[in-house]
Amino acid sequence: MFIFDIFNFKKSFEAVATKENFNSLREIIKAAIIAQVKSKIPGEEKMNNVINEAIAFINTHINSKNEIVQWIIDHVLIAGIRGFAQAIYEDLKQVVKGL
C-alpha cells in the first residue's frame, strides 16, 4: 500500500492541507487561549490545555488514509503545534490587554 501512497501523495496532501483547515485550527487555538485566561492554573498547564485541544482537532479533522501524509501530520504538524500556538498567543497578547 505504501507504493500507492507515493503516487497519490499530492492529491491526498492537498485534501488535508487546506486554508480552511488551518484557519479552523488557528481559531480553535485562539479560542482555547482566550478560554484559559481566566483559569488560575500555571501558564504551562494552560498551554498544555490549549495544545491538547489543538491536537484533538487535528486528530478528528486533519487526517489522511495516505500513510505519508499522515506521517507528516503526526511528525511535523503535531510536533510543531506548540510553536504555532505560542505565535498565536504572542499575536493575541499584543491585541488583548492583560492576556
Side-chain angles (χ1 to χ4, degrees), residues 46-65:
K46 289 179 186 179
M47 183 57 87
N48 288 340
N49 292 341
V50 170
I51 299 304
N52 290 337
E53 286 188 43
I55 290 173
F57 176 82
I58 292 169
N59 288 334
T60 58
H61 293 93
I62 305 176
N63 51 43
S64 177
K65 292 181 181 179

Side-chain angles (χ1 to χ4, degrees), residues 22-37 50-51 53-54 84-89 91-93 95-96 99:
F22 287 102
N23 283 339
S24 295
L25 179 60
R26 189 182 78 231
E27 292 302 317
I28 291 291
I29 292 171
K30 191 186 300 185
I33 289 170
I34 292 170
Q36 293 295 316
V37 169
V50 170
I51 299 304
E53 286 188 43
F84 187 55
Q86 186 65 39
I88 293 171
Y89 171 76
D91 288 343
L92 280 174
K93 196 164 69 169
V95 176
V96 179
L99 188 66

